[in-house]
Amino acid sequence: MADAGWPGCSKSLKGVVLDMCGVLYDSGEGDGVALPGSVEAVKKLKASDLQLRFCTNETQATREKFVAKLQRLGFDICVSEVFSPAPAAVAVLKERGLKPHLLVYDGVLPEFDSVDKTNPNCVVIGDAAEKFSYQNLNEAFRVLINLEKPVLFSLGQGRYYKETDGLKLDVGVYMKALEYACDLKAEVIGKPSPMFFQSVLNDMGLQPSETLMIGDDLVNDVGGAQHCGMKGIQVRTGKYRLTDTSGTRSPAARVCQEEEENMALCEMSPA
């Protein structure tokens, strides 16, 4: 629920975690576009006493290419500050000795170069965009249905996201289709997975109560963070819809006007 003590509760904060698409920029043709005030907000946060990390469910490019795009848009950001699902999935696959059948966007395939993919014994899906054809979904289904103990990993569970030309279906929609067809429950790697958020907290060396998550997704960004004990803010950009806070969905977070408060968010701690 919204914190009535805001912004007083911000005095205990030591770290901020930012979602990226829909909070810092809108993706789309070319590099997309930075949202008003977002570049300046990141600069001010970096100049403050707060630790800053970026937590994204982006699965259409490697972190290196994704960060390079954000740098071209003017953001002060480096690869080590960004947490995304694909590297986390690779770590899980290696730890459990699993060999994936991949249904992901071509741009993120290099993240899985170090993983054995012969005779797959699990399926990994990400935001495959136009790769989510009947043929490709059916191929993933056949891999799963023929396994004695099928395992499905999903690099997020978002319903939709926003690009410059409008809303687009996200990986969660296709994850649910495979869950239903195979009568199984996917393991989500990425937001809102508690393990994913904990990896960011561990990197900062902070407790959940000392950390704020800012995102445009009420369930995966804000709700996932709050479930881990972090504070949460939802911004009114990206995938935000009025129904997020009009009563048809649970208002899990304080909602901010992005253009006005992207700058104000930086005032939580003196520069």
Side-chain angles (χ1 to χ4, degrees):
M1 297 297 291
D3 193 326
W6 185 270
C9 66
S10 66
K11 295 178 181 179
S12 65
L13 292 178
K14 296 182 180 179
V16 173
V17 181
L18 294 177
D19 179 34
M20 303 177 81
C21 183
V23 174
L24 300 182
Y25 78 107
D26 277 336
S27 62
E29 187 175 352
D31 291 335
V33 294
L35 292 170
S38 57
V39 171
E40 294 80 4
V42 171
K43 287 180 180 177
K44 286 195 172 185
L45 282 168
K46 287 206 163 189
S48 75
D49 293 331
L50 295 166
Q51 292 197 59
L52 179 62
R53 298 292 186 273
F54 303 88
C55 189
T56 177
N57 273 2
E58 166 66 37
T59 56
Q60 289 197 358
T62 62
R63 282 191 301 169
E64 288 75 14
K65 289 188 176 181
F66 182 54
V67 167
K69 176 176 72 173
L70 272 291
Q71 290 172 341
R72 289 193 294 270
L73 291 175
F75 291 99
D76 178 10
I77 182 174
C78 62
V79 172
S80 63
E81 296 170 321
V82 176
F83 289 77
S84 62
V90 169
V92 172
L93 292 169
K94 290 181 176 180
E95 179 183 347
R96 293 166 59 174
L98 293 171
K99 298 181 290 184
H101 169 85
L102 298 173
L103 179 48
V104 299
Y105 200 75
D106 286 348
V108 82
L109 285 172
E111 295 276 20
F112 294 89
D113 283 349
S114 63
V115 177
D116 182 5
K117 294 176 280 292
T118 58
N119 299 316
N121 53 11
C122 69
V123 168
V124 175
I125 62 170
D127 177 18
E130 66 273 7
K131 292 282 185 177
F132 278 132
S133 64
Y134 175 83
Q135 180 179 349
N136 289 341
L137 278 166
N138 200 52
E139 187 177 359
F141 160 74
R142 285 177 172 174
V143 171
L144 289 169
I145 206 69
N146 287 319
L147 292 173
E148 183 178 352
K149 296 182 179 179
V151 179
L152 172 63
F153 294 105
S154 184
L155 306 182
Q157 63 177 29
R159 295 169 176 158
Y160 54 85
Y161 59 94
K162 184 183 178 184
E163 289 194 347
T164 51
D165 63 346
L167 298 177
K168 303 290 180 70
L169 288 175
D170 205 348
V171 63
V173 177
Y174 305 97
M175 176 194 81
K176 288 295 183 181
L178 290 174
E179 283 185 333
Y180 179 70
C182 301
D183 193 22
L184 54 72
K185 183 70 174 176
E187 297 183 38
V188 177
I189 300 178
K191 297 174 294 183
S193 165
M195 180 177 66
F196 192 62
F197 280 109
Q198 189 61 52
S199 68
V200 184
L201 293 170
N202 291 345
D203 187 68
M204 292 190 289
L206 298 179
Q207 296 299 313
S209 60
E210 300 172 322
T211 312
L212 170 70
M213 175 73 204
I214 302 171
D216 65 330
D217 189 316
L218 192 65
V219 175
N220 296 304
D221 294 338
V222 177
Q226 289 182 332
H227 184 70
C228 296
M230 300 165 64
K231 297 176 176 67
I233 286 180
Q234 184 189 21
V235 293
R236 288 180 177 174
T237 52
K239 67 168 64 175
Y240 169 79
R241 287 289 171 272
L242 184 61
T243 52
D244 288 350
T245 50
S246 66
T248 59
R249 296 179 188 168
S250 175
R254 173 178 168 83
V255 181
C256 299
Q257 291 286 357
E258 171 83 0
E259 189 165 346
E260 298 174 359
E261 297 203 28
N262 249 342
M263 300 297 292
L265 290 173
C266 312
E267 305 302 329
M268 296 182 296
S269 178

